[in-house]
Amino acid sequence: MHMSRWISMVVLIGATVIAAAVAGWETVAAADNPSLAGRWTLNRTLSQFPREVGFGMDVIPPGAGSDEREGRGAAAFVPRNESEAEARNARQLVDEVRTPSPHLTIVQSETAISITDDQGRSRRFHPDGKDEFQPLDASPVTTTARWEGALLVVRYKVEKSREVRYTYSRKLDPSQLIVQVQFVERGGRDIITRVYEPTRADEPSTPVGAAQAGAQPTPASGLRDATKAYDPNRPALPPAAAEPGKQDVPAVTGAAQAPIGSQKPDAELKGITRLGMVVEGLDSSATTCGLKQDAIEATVSKSLSDAGLKVARNADEDTYVYVNIMTTSMATGFCVSRYDAILYTYTTAKLSYEDSPLLVQVSLLRSGGVAGSASSAHADAVIKGLKQYLDQFAARIRNANK
């Protein structure tokens, strides 16, 4: 009996040690995710550019029999029940793969990764495996991101059983960013590989960041649903709706609808005299690069106040400016930040899939940019770019109220 108990205790202790070791390894692995941050330039010589790119081109292995070829060929032409928005999203994602951006700017923090292309399109991913939304031209698309070892895997869920899968990895010698793209659906699929190298210091930079870029960050502490009821105890934000006029917006209950196109520019800004202000907290990388929360809040407040607007910090206002800055600090002392400013409001709307009106969030204005500089000058560069956007917001609000 005593021997049996002793053996059981040894087994239990051994299992506990193994479990602790595995848990510890997972913690270290999570903390050791490779850095993809930096400014990258596409090396076309080392990259693949297949003649045909997209869905509906299943790979038929060499030597396949006629039955298999005919079976796959017949299946390829089965009509798909997809919406117009899904079809447009698929075309946009295919076009982005067919014509990759010559440059990528990646900013990485402990909880999120922002990837910006030469057209200023910025997408922010939280690598936790949970669903979130990314804005596309037709409608938001569901994405998930997660680390699989040293690989960052991002999945765009275009429609049921169809997705575009990006895999990002870092090669150190020579320094390269490897981007692999796969159109995933029934059957096999080729993988397209693109190789990016660090942008040279003497290479002309392409301006990144503009309102037309559609940059739409999801705050690290924010909700991820397209529409949610407003919670005054948490000023975190869901992905924004499209800009006014970009898509059909359900009518607000009890409000008179003007014919499309008859409204004056920025009519939705008329009547705004008071704004709330929410500046997302800075992380350790931002602090290392000289950014200070108080200085950023003072810049936001001054830009809006100088235009005659009353500004309330972290107040429960239906209409407010949200500012988010995401920074990566490199070992060389070089800093890269993605900064975004968004003017939000809340309204009651009757959604097509709901029976009763809901309180929803609407993005009235948004702009974002990328700044890269030495740490000693980084704070000034970010604040200067951010102030430019905020001054534009204030001017448009002021003009709408004339």
Side-chain angles (χ1 to χ4, degrees), residues 18-348:
I18 292 174
V22 170
W25 179 85
E26 290 177 347
T27 302
V28 172
D32 291 340
N33 292 330
S35 174
L36 307 178
R39 173 78 170 160
W40 302 94
T41 298
L42 179 65
N43 185 322
R44 300 186 66 88
T45 302
L46 299 179
S47 301
Q48 296 175 338
F49 291 88
R51 295 178 59 184
E52 299 295 336
V53 173
F55 293 107
M57 295 180 292
D58 288 5
V59 177
I60 302 176
S66 59
D67 292 341
E68 184 177 358
R69 289 177 176 271
E70 291 176 3
R72 291 198 179 196
F77 291 97
V78 175
R80 300 187 64 87
N81 183 22
E82 62 180 354
S83 67
E84 179 182 354
E86 288 174 337
R88 289 177 59 191
N89 281 346
R91 286 197 296 272
Q92 180 180 346
L93 291 172
V94 170
D95 288 342
E96 290 177 7
V97 177
R98 181 180 292 114
T99 309
S101 176
H103 300 91
L104 293 177
T105 301
I106 300 181
V107 181
Q108 182 174 337
S109 70
E110 296 176 358
T111 58
I113 294 176
S114 173
I115 302 176
T116 304
D117 65 13
D118 271 350
Q119 298 183 42
R121 291 179 300 209
S122 182
R123 292 171 189 162
R124 187 177 185 185
F125 304 98
H126 298 81
D128 53 14
K130 298 180 180 179
D131 285 350
E132 56 187 332
F133 292 93
Q134 300 296 333
L136 295 184
D137 293 344
S139 65
V141 64
T142 303
T143 63
T144 62
R146 65 182 300 166
W147 288 103
E148 295 184 2
L151 307 177
L152 175 67
V153 180
V154 177
R155 299 165 58 197
Y156 289 81
K157 301 178 182 179
V158 182
E159 57 178 296
K160 185 177 181 180
S161 74
R162 269 189 171 186
E163 66 180 52
V164 180
R165 186 176 300 170
Y166 279 78
T167 301
Y168 299 86
S169 59
R170 179 73 181 270
K171 185 178 180 181
L172 297 179
D173 188 18
S175 181
Q176 293 175 339
L177 174 72
I178 311 298
V179 182
Q180 294 183 310
V181 190
Q182 190 175 16
F183 291 91
V184 181
E185 55 182 337
R186 163 192 39 79
R189 182 62 50 207
D190 279 336
I191 296 178
I192 302 169
T193 301
R194 271 53 187 274
V195 178
Y196 286 80
E197 298 175 333
T199 301
R200 302 189 311 273
D202 59 348
E203 183 176 341
S205 61
T206 303
V208 177
Q212 70 270 20
Q216 185 171 302
T218 302
S221 59
L223 303 175
R224 302 194 180 186
D225 305 280
T227 55
K228 283 287 185 181
Y230 175 56
D231 179 1
N233 296 319
R234 179 169 64 175
L237 313 175
E243 291 184 53
K246 295 297 184 182
Q247 65 181 34
D248 294 334
V249 179
V252 176
T253 303
Q257 279 188 287
I260 295 176
S262 67
Q263 290 184 344
K264 295 181 179 179
D266 290 336
E268 67 278 5
L269 305 178
K270 185 176 178 60
I272 296 178
T273 59
R274 181 182 177 88
L275 290 173
M277 180 184 73
V278 178
V279 178
E280 188 81 6
L282 301 176
D283 59 17
S284 57
S285 294
T287 303
T288 300
C289 291
L291 293 167
K292 297 181 179 179
Q293 186 87 12
D294 291 345
I296 295 168
E297 291 181 351
T299 298
V300 177
S301 180
K302 187 175 188 307
S303 290
L304 301 176
S305 299
D306 287 350
L309 296 167
K310 295 182 179 179
V311 181
R313 296 190 182 188
N314 298 313
D316 183 13
E317 296 288 336
D318 287 343
T319 305
Y320 59 98
V321 171
Y322 172 79
V323 173
N324 181 70
I325 300 174
M326 187 175 171
T327 304
T328 291
S329 174
M330 302 180 186
T332 58
F334 193 81
C335 298
V336 180
S337 287
R338 171 79 202 186
Y339 52 91
D340 294 273
I342 309 173
L343 176 61
Y344 282 111
T345 193
Y346 284 90
T347 187
T348 305

